[in-house]
Amino acid sequence: METASAEIPDSPGLNRRSLLRGGAVAGLGVLMSSSSVFAAPDKAVAGGPEPSADGLMLTKFKDPLRTPPVLRPRDRGGHDELTVRMRTADVTVHSELPPVRMWTYEGSHPGPTIETVRGRRLRVVWENHLTGNIPVTAVEFGQPGGPMSDPLSNYPGAQGCQEVAGVAGLEPWAAVHLHGMLTGGGNDGWMENLVGPGEVQLSAYPNDQAATLWYHDHTHHVSRFSVYAGLAGLFVSRNAEERALDLPKGRHEVPLVLSDRNFALDDSGALTGRLVHKVEMVGTTLMRAHAAPYTLVNGVVWPYLEVQPRWYRFRIVNAANSRIYRLMLLADGRPVPGAFQVIGTDQGLIDKPLPVDGALNLSPGERADVLVDFSAFRGRSLKLVNTMEGVTPGGSSTRHDLLEPDVMQFRVASSGSAGRFTPPRTLSPTFKRPALHDLPHDSRSRWVVLVGPGSANVPELWEMEEMEQTDAKGITFPSAGIVQVKDAEGTVRTLRRTAMHYDDGNAFTVAHHGVEIWKYLNLAASPHPMHIHLAHFHVLSRENYNVTGFDRAVRGSVRPIAFLGAAELEPHELGEKDTVRVGTAGQIAPGPNGTPGELVTVAVRFPVVGRGVHHCHMLEHEQHMVRPLVVGPAAHWHAGGHH
């Protein structure tokens, strides 16, 4: 468990004894220690600690997986209430590493798992008790001529790096976003509505979902540092439909919150535990996606979990800044076919279990609810690893920030009952995946084009509008901000950029309860996880496109971006979602156009109103690839004759 900083005393009414007792805490709801809920089996005969990759120093699989405590709200009659405190704490993430100073929710990383019941409206008081400047040292490095073959981000310490100006003095402002919660803009954790130490954010959530969500800081411009500092936690809402399935529960239902971190070194070369946010710069201002060498699961570096030879349920969240996790389960170094049975996506259960063929790809912000059967592995150990296409599963690739591919170890007991559970054939009888003919005929189409670095050397998000053919005839190609797309039927559409920067104006304005078709076209070399606030969606299709017709210097297409073929959606993309990866996951390809472009089409529903945003959930891209979004009652747009 965490070790509270001596400088940060417990607030009155909440101390370590009351947390572990699991009793009621006045004004805070009920916080339950989870160590007994997810206790390990009595006996495991396989597995054990292993050395990590050269230069990383910490032993893998030495520490058990820690499950965050569970925080349940108090019943206030017509609604539930909860208070969650942000506080600075020293957190143990590995037994061979000094405690790590973090900004946390309730003193733990991840924060407590907030567990609720669907249909119970929830009010949360997010109290800011954070102290000191941000506990992160931000550095960058680079060399002339392009990316390094073995970048410094693979290793701890800041040697060979420059400190990033303006980060060390960041004060503890905060804005809490409950990611995936369908709530109005006034309660969504708007990224500029900050609360400082001693202040509170009051949020009311309809809580009309049964899903795995997560909460994290969303402070504009600095979320890549504040989330890295530790401000993230899990949120689970249950309903009667889920309870009736008799899925694995108690110690057999385990959250897995994935992230990566790096740490500083002292003068002797020993790890200090100080968080280091390290990125590679290509040229002077182009930042590669953040990647760190130490993988944390539930805040523990490379943990192990002792399991019984039976079915388990894992709620997996990618809470990393930018890393995409391509997860495989290995036994004796070989992938276990169909190891993951997906039963739920970002927004809840799907209709039936779906086996994963190959890797389970989760980009930042995405969640997957999966079942795993350990009954065939009595007395053996398995590894959960991160992989890349072109690299043998379990192998490393320093060039692609995969020095240490291991995520965690499972140690399967040699004895014990396998139980009587079998995955239900039907999970959610109310789930229905829409087809195009199910959508309203007047559904509006939006185009969002994701573009590689331009003159400012940062990735760009372009909002586009489709031009009439007569208007497009006089255009000379290439022209800045003009992209032509040739679809599977051979139809050529001409798109004109309408906005790019956060403050460009002309925000997407959407009708409350409206349904729209959003088309995300990725012209960049890297994938981007796209997240829409105030909404949920179904992914309709994923298609490959030839993007070599895009002129990166002029910032427009020389010839149409042309359809190549349809691509398959993955099992965790077949349910309701709020975040989707646009671009090929984990593919190693040479050159800026080596990775095929992708067009991902989603059907978006807007059940709540207010001002929100849509953005890339790679946090290092967020401040550049973010645009406002406004959802309002359609009748208001025309009231009194105004438009």
Side-chain angles (χ1 to χ4, degrees):
M1 296 294 290
E2 77 283 357
T3 304
S5 168
E7 300 173 11
I8 318 299
D10 282 322
S11 295
L14 181 65
N15 55 43
R16 183 173 177 81
R17 180 176 300 172
S18 64
L19 300 191
L20 296 180
R21 191 169 60 232
V25 181
L28 289 168
V30 181
L31 182 60
M32 304 291 292
S33 170
S34 57
S35 57
S36 60
V37 176
F38 297 109
D42 294 333
K43 186 178 180 181
V45 297
E50 296 180 7
S52 59
D54 289 345
L56 299 186
M57 293 180 272
L58 298 180
T59 304
K60 295 184 298 187
F61 318 138
K62 183 175 181 180
D63 299 315
L65 180 73
R66 180 173 61 228
T67 303
V70 176
L71 182 59
R72 296 188 177 93
R74 284 190 170 279
D75 183 346
R76 295 301 188 193
H79 67 278
D80 291 342
E81 274 187 8
L82 194 60
T83 297
V84 180
R85 300 177 310 164
M86 292 168 266
R87 55 185 292 254
T88 305
D90 293 334
V91 180
T92 298
V93 302
H94 194 283
S95 58
E96 297 172 349
L97 187 70
V100 178
R101 177 64 55 89
M102 286 186 164
W103 283 353
T104 73
Y105 298 102
E106 292 296 347
S108 69
H109 176 71
T113 298
I114 298 174
E115 186 168 310
T116 66
V117 176
R118 178 179 183 174
R120 292 288 303 172
R121 298 182 69 87
L122 176 65
R123 297 177 185 174
V124 179
V125 179
W126 304 97
E127 294 185 351
N128 188 344
H129 294 272
L130 296 170
T131 60
N133 299 122
I134 195 164
V136 174
T137 298
V139 297
E140 60 189 29
F141 64 94
Q143 66 177 14
M148 295 181 176
S149 59
D150 187 4
L152 298 178
S153 48
N154 279 323
Y155 306 96
Q159 185 176 2
C161 302
Q162 289 185 321
E163 186 167 357
V164 178
V167 177
L170 288 175
E171 298 175 340
W173 295 96
V176 187
H177 171 53
L178 180 45
H179 181 121
M181 176 61 73
L182 299 174
T183 189
N187 298 290
D188 190 51
W190 179 254
M191 55 194 188
E192 292 164 328
N193 289 345
L194 305 179
V195 294
E199 299 177 344
V200 300
Q201 174 183 319
L202 305 177
S203 296
Y205 303 113
N207 198 25
D208 194 24
Q209 302 152 257
T212 304
L213 312 179
W214 67 300
Y215 57 96
H216 60 83
D217 189 68
H218 210 275
T219 303
H220 197 26
H221 298 298
V222 298
S223 61
R224 64 191 185 278
F225 303 123
S226 58
V227 174
Y228 194 79
L231 290 173
L234 195 65
F235 183 101
V236 174
S237 182
R238 304 181 186 273
N239 66 356
E241 185 177 78
E242 176 193 347
R243 288 194 297 270
L245 295 173
D246 198 26
L247 296 168
K249 57 183 179 236
R251 66 184 185 184
H252 305 122
E253 179 188 5
V254 184
L256 301 178
V257 180
L258 309 180
S259 62
D260 56 352
R261 295 291 189 276
N262 209 338
F263 307 105
L265 301 174
D266 63 18
D267 292 340
S268 71
L271 290 163
T272 69
R274 170 76 178 183
L275 287 170
V276 172
H277 181 279
K278 187 192 303 188
V279 293
E280 182 177 10
M281 306 300 290
V282 181
T284 56
T285 58
L286 174 58
M287 181 190 300
R288 289 187 65 223
H290 174 270
Y294 299 97
T295 297
L296 280 67
V297 187
N298 294 353
V300 181
V301 177
W302 303 315
Y304 70 87
L305 177 65
E306 296 181 353
V307 297
Q308 295 173 327
R310 54 159 293 154
W311 285 92
Y312 277 72
R313 179 185 186 182
F314 297 104
R315 296 179 184 260
I316 308 176
V317 181
N318 185 347
N321 274 33
S322 290
R323 184 183 289 277
I324 294 176
Y325 285 98
R326 299 185 71 254
L327 301 172
M328 285 188 177
L329 196 63
L330 305 186
D332 300 322
R334 294 187 297 272
V336 179
F340 302 115
Q341 298 273 332
V342 173
I343 62 172
T345 61
D346 295 352
Q347 289 287 320
L349 294 175
I350 55 178
D351 53 345
K352 61 183 179 181
L354 296 174
V356 175
D357 181 17
L360 174 63
N361 298 308
L362 291 181
S363 61
E366 286 189 290
R367 289 89 69 203
D369 196 347
V370 304
L371 298 174
V372 176
D373 184 9
F374 293 104
S375 62
F377 302 98
R378 291 175 180 269
R380 299 167 65 186
S381 67
L382 299 91
K383 287 183 180 180
L384 183 65
V385 301
N386 190 21
T387 69
M388 296 197 76
E389 291 187 11
V391 176
T392 302
S396 65
S397 174
T398 54
R399 171 66 186 85
H400 297 91
D401 307 298
L402 197 65
L403 175 63
E404 178 52 75
D406 288 346
V407 174
M408 65 179 295
Q409 182 187 72
F410 295 99
R411 302 175 184 176
V412 187
S414 58
S415 60
S417 171
R420 298 181 180 180
F421 174 78
T422 56
R425 293 184 179 181
T426 300
L427 292 165
S428 174
T430 61
F431 174 85
K432 182 181 179 182
R433 179 170 167 74
L436 279 173
H437 64 264
D438 296 322
L439 301 173
H441 296 299
D442 58 351
S443 294
R444 179 170 183 172
S445 290
R446 308 269 190 184
W447 284 86
V448 178
V449 176
L450 314 175
V451 188
S455 58
N457 230 355
V458 295
E460 297 171 352
L461 180 155
W462 295 1
E463 292 179 350
M464 313 287 284
E465 65 179 5
E466 186 173 343
M467 301 175 62
E468 297 291 340
Q469 289 184 350
T470 53
D471 296 333
K473 285 182 178 179
I475 296 175
T476 300
F477 294 95
S479 291
I482 304 293
V483 175
Q484 287 193 312
V485 181
K486 185 177 181 180
D487 64 19
E489 285 72 40
T491 302
V492 176
R493 290 177 169 82
T494 303
L495 310 178
R496 174 172 51 201
R497 186 176 66 211
T498 57
M500 176 175 67
H501 302 292
Y502 172 65
D503 55 358
D504 275 349
N506 300 320
F508 281 173
T509 302
V510 179
H512 183 215
H513 293 306
V515 179
E516 296 193 344
I517 305 300
W518 285 33
K519 295 179 177 292
Y520 288 106
L521 177 62
N522 189 357
L523 305 180
S526 65
H528 296 277
M530 304 309 298
H531 174 49
I532 307 176
H533 290 223
L534 314 183
H536 56 145
F537 56 77
H538 281 273
V539 185
L540 299 179
S541 64
R542 183 185 293 278
E543 298 171 321
N544 293 327
Y545 273 73
N546 183 340
V547 300
T548 57
F550 182 72
D551 188 313
R552 294 172 181 271
V554 176
R555 316 300 285 166
S557 58
V558 178
R559 57 185 180 276
I561 308 303
F563 174 82
L564 292 174
E568 288 190 16
L569 296 177
E570 299 172 32
H572 76 284
E573 297 176 328
L574 296 175
E576 276 192 312
K577 291 180 63 59
D578 52 64
T579 308
V580 63
R581 186 194 77 248
V582 184
T584 306
Q587 187 176 74
I588 299 174
N593 289 318
T595 299
E598 280 198 342
L599 177 68
V600 175
T601 303
V602 301
V604 195
R605 297 182 184 274
F606 298 91
V608 295
V609 301
R611 184 175 175 87
V613 289
H614 66 101
H615 62 88
C616 175
H617 215 283
M618 285 184 169
L619 299 185
E620 281 68 35
H621 293 175
E622 185 176 76
Q623 72 180 102
H624 310 296
M625 303 180 70
V626 58
R627 285 284 299 147
L629 166 73
V630 178
V631 184
H636 288 195
W637 303 345
H638 307 288
H642 295 286
H643 300 278

